[in-house]
Amino acid sequence: MVVSAMRVAVVYESLMGNTRRVAEAIAAGARDAAPDVEVRCSPAGDTGSVDADLVFVGAPTPFFGVPRARTRPPPGHGQQSPALPGQPPAPSAPR
């Protein structure tokens, strides 16, 4: 019997980069806790279908709810969040 590695998906939407940093920390924690686990961390628009045994979903809560077109800042608006070491900077608005 062949046993495949557990697959973990961390899917997030981040307006200012904070939720992205939390998602990346969750993914890193999963990798550290179980090095044989396959971990995928990606923005919500880049995922397509998610095929995983465990899924974490994260989103900001502007105006006490999930992001909607009217609560998202326009492209290029807002400050860019600093990047984690070795990571590209987070975009200031979703693309």
Side-chain angles (χ1 to χ4, degrees), residues 10-34:
V10 183
V11 181
Y12 64 91
E13 178 174 356
S14 187
L15 298 178
M16 301 303 285
N18 297 318
T19 306
R20 176 187 61 88
R21 286 194 295 276
V22 171
E24 290 171 348
I26 290 169
R31 288 183 190 104
D32 291 346

Side-chain angles (χ1 to χ4, degrees), residues 63-95:
F63 305 105
F64 309 105
V66 296
R68 298 182 239 349
R70 66 184 173 93
T71 62
R72 290 183 177 102
H77 182 273
Q79 295 180 335
Q80 212 171 37
S81 299
L84 295 173
Q87 298 291 322
S92 60
R95 299 180 200 271

